[in-house]
Amino acid sequence: MSKEKFLIWGRAFELNVQYDCYEDEDILPAQKVAFAFFKGEADHILNSDQEIKKYCLENNGAEIGEVIDNIFKYVIPVSIFVKRDEKKHVVAVMCNYKFDIEHGIALLFVNEKLVQIGSQDIVS
């Protein structure tokens, strides 16, 4: 496991990068490529916090209220997970979530596009 620096929603983070593989397996070249593409686009695709704010308000608006001024009150990125897939780039930003401490939140990117936000279970 390595650490990489990312700028996420305007704040700098140093996150663990985890690859989807067993101890006796090697990281696939496709996984390395997927991470390289993600890292190259990270400043652009992790710039806006609008989608994560929308998710939080839709799922926990009663607790939050109508507006989120600081997303980091509720969501903290903790790691990057690179899925084992040879056909497409599948990378998730795994986050702690104030309202679901057990499952957290994952932002799932396929080919460097955000496709889903949900509990970390969506990555499996």
Side-chain angles (χ1 to χ4, degrees):
M1 188 171 1
S2 63
K3 288 190 176 255
E4 293 281 339
K5 293 181 182 181
F6 290 91
L7 187 63
I8 302 175
W9 311 318
R11 185 178 288 180
F13 289 91
E14 189 169 354
L15 304 178
N16 288 325
V17 179
Q18 299 173 298
Y19 290 89
D20 183 15
C21 58
Y22 294 106
E23 286 184 25
D24 62 339
E25 293 178 320
D26 291 328
I27 297 168
L28 296 174
Q31 287 176 287
K32 292 178 183 180
V33 168
F35 178 72
F37 272 83
F38 180 82
K39 177 92 170 134
E41 292 292 319
D43 287 348
H44 172 70
I45 61 179
L46 298 174
N47 184 39
S48 174
D49 61 1
Q50 294 308 305
E51 290 300 318
I52 191 70
K53 284 181 176 180
K54 180 179 171 186
Y55 176 89
C56 293
L57 289 171
E58 286 174 358
N59 289 278
N60 298 97
E63 296 95 325
I64 295 169
E66 294 183 18
V67 177
I68 296 175
D69 292 326
N70 179 0
I71 191 63
F72 299 112
K73 287 181 180 179
Y74 311 107
V75 180
I76 298 293
V78 292
S79 66
I80 303 294
F81 183 78
V82 183
K83 190 91 169 123
R84 194 169 186 85
D85 193 315
E86 294 192 70
K87 296 182 180 173
K88 54 188 180 265
H89 305 159
V90 182
V91 178
V93 178
M94 309 297 261
C95 304
N96 289 337
Y97 185 43
K98 179 178 181 174
F99 300 106
D100 191 349
I101 294 176
E102 183 177 341
H103 300 106
I105 282 184
L107 290 87
L108 185 63
F109 294 86
V110 176
N111 296 331
E112 298 73 55
K113 301 223 181 304
L114 180 63
V115 296
Q116 189 175 0
I117 298 173
S119 75
Q120 293 179 1
D121 299 338
I122 66 171
V123 178
S124 58

